[in-house]
Amino acid sequence: MRMAKQKSFCCFLCFLLVILWSEQVTMGKVIIRVGVVLDMNSAVGKTAESCISAAVNDFYARNADYRTRISLVTRDSKGDVVTAASAALDLMKNEEVEAIIGPQRSSEAKFVIELGAKTQVPILSFSATSPALTPVQSNYFIRTAQSDSPQVKVIASIVETYGWREIVLIYEGTEYGIALVPYLLNAFHEIGTRVPYESCIPSSFDDTEIMSELHKIKKKKERVFLVHMTASMGSRLFLLAESAGMMSEGYAWLVTTGLSTLLDPVDAKVMDSMEGVLGVKPYVPKSIELEGFKSRSKKNFNSENLFGLWAYDTVWAIAMAVERAGIVHSRFLKQNASNRSVDLAALGISEMGPRLLKSILNTTFDGLSGKFQLVKGEMEPSAFEIFNVVGRSERVIGYWTQKGGLSQSLDSSSKISHSNSKTKLKQPIWPGGAIQQPKKLRIGVPVRSGFREFMEVKWHQQSNEPIVLGFSAEVFLAVHDILPFPLPYEFIPFMNDSRESAGTYDDLLRQIKHQKFDAVVGDTTIVAYRSSYVDFTLPYSESGVTMVVLMKRDERDNMWIFLKPLSPKLWLVTGVAFFVTGLAVWVLEHRTNTEFRGTPEQQLGTVMWFSFSTLVFAHRERPENNLTKFVLIIWIFVVLIISQSYTASLASMLTVQRMHPAFVDVTEIQRNNYSVGHQKDSFVKDFLKKELDFNDTMLREYSTPEEFHDALSSGPHKGGVAAIFDEIPYVRRFLDKYRCSKFQMVGPTYQTDGFGFAFPLNSPLVSHFSRAILNVTEDHDKMEVIKRKSFGREITCEDRGPETSSGGLRLSSFAGLFLISGVASISSLLIYIIRFLRSNYPASNTMNEQSMWLRILEVAKRFDQKDPSVHHLRRTESRVHPVTGPESIGASPETGNVHEMTSNEGAEDVGENQNHDNLTSGNSGTNFIASNACRYCCP
């Protein structure tokens, strides 16, 4: 009996042992419990559950000889943070799991990670990708998926490749959505892309509230959007965006991995609404195992769901780690006892947790999603795939790797096969079925009526599209070609219905502020007050406002130019000096030199003749007084200096073209209240009013160089202007056209910063364009080609021919001298003729007896005879021919009279005390006088 009781007791003990080990040992295998926390109502949760179950079966089917087995204990979080935390507590306390897969969302994982650290239970998440959660924060958190942060570089590369300088960020207002925003903003800042608006949409928003936010974004006229949301909210967003008309041509949408990894599970209607969307997701290399898994699982769930593949690989990693860690039992070290399933104080510490953690971190294998290798507690990113939603499928248009960046293809060695395409991506299909890249830069251009060398708008005859030409447009094209990214653009003329300018340049620039234009390209001047509503690039032209005026008439056309070398005062002083010098010589020579004696009229004439004849050294009077010689030495030196200076100055005036501006100072124009001109629609008008104090009545507007020419040529007295104020580039073009005419740039240059391109305030394009402008303007050959194309070959004065001055003397320059000489000659002839006719015309008593011809003949004969009344002629004759021959004895009465007058003069010259009769009858006196006269009068 006793033996029977002992046998019964032994059997009971064995039964108990079998029951106790039945949960951990199955056919000699050690069972390790692993918890799973998922949202069973979500697409990710359903897919992950199926993948996890399949992973357990596939792993142990392949590894049947393993002595460990994992047993899954699943809990439903129902998408709630508290429920997820409660489920994790239950698994740790009551199920004593050695590891937990999940929870599914980043917001749920945050608290569960803290529980894992407290209990030393590894928490493995395949879907909590928020960069706010990092293994650095907790050693027991392992992310078996890629973090969201690596994709930021991929997104930035795409944005930079397509040249999007502005992008609107739309993200979910959850832990998952908000955490990535700082990373995106930093990446966009580095590539110079601005985020003008951030739209945070809470998960609690209904469709009406989301639609209201979309309309708000649409009013901002933005065209490029980045969406960072989960699949559930993202699906709603795109359906509503299509209804709002934001999925049409001209828009661009880019989605992050959170939505792109779940595109296939969304329904067909959502996929249709996402036509043309670009997406980014981790690259999954092809493998035999992956293809086999797809074929086995295709009927049950979407095997291409990336979260499902990561969940599958997570199970394999745990199963491998458990086996390699040598775990033979699962046990928690309890700190205190409690019957409540969620009592935090009752949580123990996993005895095998640290060993299992180390084993998981060291596990590597080739999984379905690629190589499974943890770096610092999370999956290391390898490559990304860029796809385009076309129809209801995804079309891969490129790849990205850390080393190679973007490319159109990726070979089996994960090396980039670079494309020669500037975009490095295949041509996508954009929303609305468009092939052309959306978000063209809307560039406003001015419509000019003059100076079209700088900017000209023409129209294509067939397409009626604007064609923009000119210097500014050529510079823009040269700058655009060397930008480090493609930048689609379109020129939009700033005009009215008549295709005329719709306003001033200030009005044009304000269109950027009003968001009608994204930029302005043209001959727009960089001015301080404009920088309050636009940002300018560096200038690409010379700067400054200057004044151009009419030149005075050439002095060589002045008939009195011979008077110009000496000033009026100098002429007066010179004339007085001539008279004073002549008078001084007469006084010194009068008593001793017979040349300075005679009647008062003769002596006055001698004084004037002698002094002026010294100009050409033509004086014949021989000075006898030493004082006179001293005076003449000084005077002749003065005359030499004056005559040589006069000659040189006159020669310079006659041979060198001298143009003098009509005005050289703004003050002179304002003092005379003259009008000035400026270019129409230019800022120069305000500059003249504010800086130079011109009033509106003094200002005239002109548009073309021809109008400038006419206004300046007319002058302020004939309805024109005294000066034109304009920027230096325009003035140079004007002077190039009329450079050999009569205009000149004068006065100070009022500093401005030159021409530049305009963009919205804080636009990232400004820095890129400024750098490109520097490269273009420093390339002198390229700038020379642009200038020659826009302005043509520079024409010099030598090329113009007839307009060029030859430098020769003109008849008009000497007209005054010829006039004076002619008047003197003619008047002298008239006086002489009148006097001659009065003394030699036949008497009236004989007029009736002679015919007209005879009277004319008699007058001519008398003109041919010597004039007996001229005293100096008789004196000269008596000196040269003494009266000694028969001709003298038989002289006529006139001859005797002449001899008598000459003798009287000689007697007066010899001395007053000598007897007049003796000198008259003495041959010696006559011969002396005759010989002296011969010296001065005979050649």
Side-chain angles (χ1 to χ4, degrees), residues 20 42-43 55 125 140 331 374 395 490 510 546 584 604 630 633 637 645 655 717 794 895:
L20 290 173
S42 67
S125 177
Y140 284 85
R331 187 177 64 176
L374 298 174
R395 170 176 167 260
E490 60 177 333
R510 288 191 180 95
T546 189
L604 179 60
F630 174 76
I633 289 173
F637 179 76
S645 301
T655 57
H717 301 293
E794 185 176 355
T895 305

Side-chain angles (χ1 to χ4, degrees), residues 211-466:
M211 180 63 80
S212 176
E213 180 66 16
L214 288 174
H215 283 303
K216 182 179 179 181
I217 297 172
K218 188 177 181 180
K219 288 180 180 179
K220 295 182 179 296
K221 301 184 185 250
E222 298 298 335
R223 297 280 176 162
V224 182
F225 307 97
L226 172 63
V227 178
H228 177 55
M229 290 181 170
T230 58
S232 57
M233 178 163 281
S235 300
R236 294 168 57 199
L237 177 75
F238 279 102
L239 287 172
L240 294 172
E242 185 181 33
S243 300
M246 298 174 69
M247 297 302 298
S248 57
E249 184 176 351
Y251 288 91
W253 293 82
L254 181 63
V255 296
T256 61
T257 57
L259 183 57
S260 61
T261 53
L262 285 173
L263 284 182
D264 287 339
V266 301
D267 80 23
K269 188 176 182 181
V270 175
M271 289 293 291
D272 290 340
S273 69
M274 296 180 68
E275 175 82 22
V277 171
L278 298 185
V280 175
K281 64 181 179 180
Y283 171 68
V284 177
K286 295 181 179 180
S287 64
I288 298 175
E289 291 79 7
L290 178 61
E291 294 301 323
F293 178 72
K294 289 180 179 179
S295 62
R296 295 192 307 270
S297 309
K298 189 173 183 180
K299 295 180 180 179
N300 299 326
F301 57 89
N302 180 14
S303 58
E304 293 186 357
N305 184 293
L306 187 57
F307 289 124
L309 298 181
W310 282 335
Y312 185 98
D313 290 345
T314 301
V315 172
W316 275 56
I318 295 174
M320 288 182 180
V322 167
E323 181 71 18
R324 292 173 183 174
I327 299 177
V328 295
H329 65 274
S330 177
R331 187 177 64 176
F332 267 62
L333 301 177
K334 299 292 185 179
Q335 294 179 345
N336 52 59
S338 173
N339 294 326
R340 291 179 295 177
S341 62
V342 293
D343 187 2
L344 292 178
L347 288 176
I349 297 175
S350 174
E351 184 179 6
M352 295 292 108
R355 186 189 301 179
L356 179 60
L357 174 66
K358 183 177 180 181
S359 182
I360 292 174
L361 293 177
N362 293 326
T363 299
T364 60
F365 63 95
D366 292 328
L368 295 185
S369 63
K371 186 174 182 62
F372 184 94
Q373 183 176 8
L374 298 174
V375 177
K376 295 181 179 180
E378 60 185 358
M379 287 286 289
E380 183 180 23
S382 55
F384 284 86
E385 195 174 74
I386 296 93
F387 65 88
N388 180 209
V389 178
V390 180
R392 295 180 180 178
S393 62
E394 301 172 12
R395 170 176 167 260
V396 177
I397 62 173
Y399 299 89
W400 183 93
T401 62
Q402 186 71 35
K403 294 181 179 179
L406 290 174
S407 71
Q408 291 187 9
S409 63
L410 189 66
D411 61 22
S412 58
S413 301
S414 296
K415 293 181 180 179
I416 293 297
S417 176
H418 288 286
S419 169
N420 293 328
S421 171
K422 193 172 183 180
T423 64
K424 299 181 180 180
L425 296 173
K426 296 177 182 178
Q427 175 63 54
I429 302 298
W430 301 100
I435 298 177
Q436 293 294 328
Q437 181 181 334
K439 187 57 180 178
K440 287 185 178 180
L441 199 67
R442 299 167 298 167
I443 300 177
V445 295
V447 177
R448 299 191 58 90
S449 57
F451 292 98
R452 293 182 177 177
E453 304 95 333
F454 292 92
M455 207 71 182
E456 182 178 10
V457 178
K458 293 184 177 180
W459 300 91
H460 196 278
Q461 294 181 352
Q462 297 179 350
S463 64
N464 204 30
E465 293 292 326

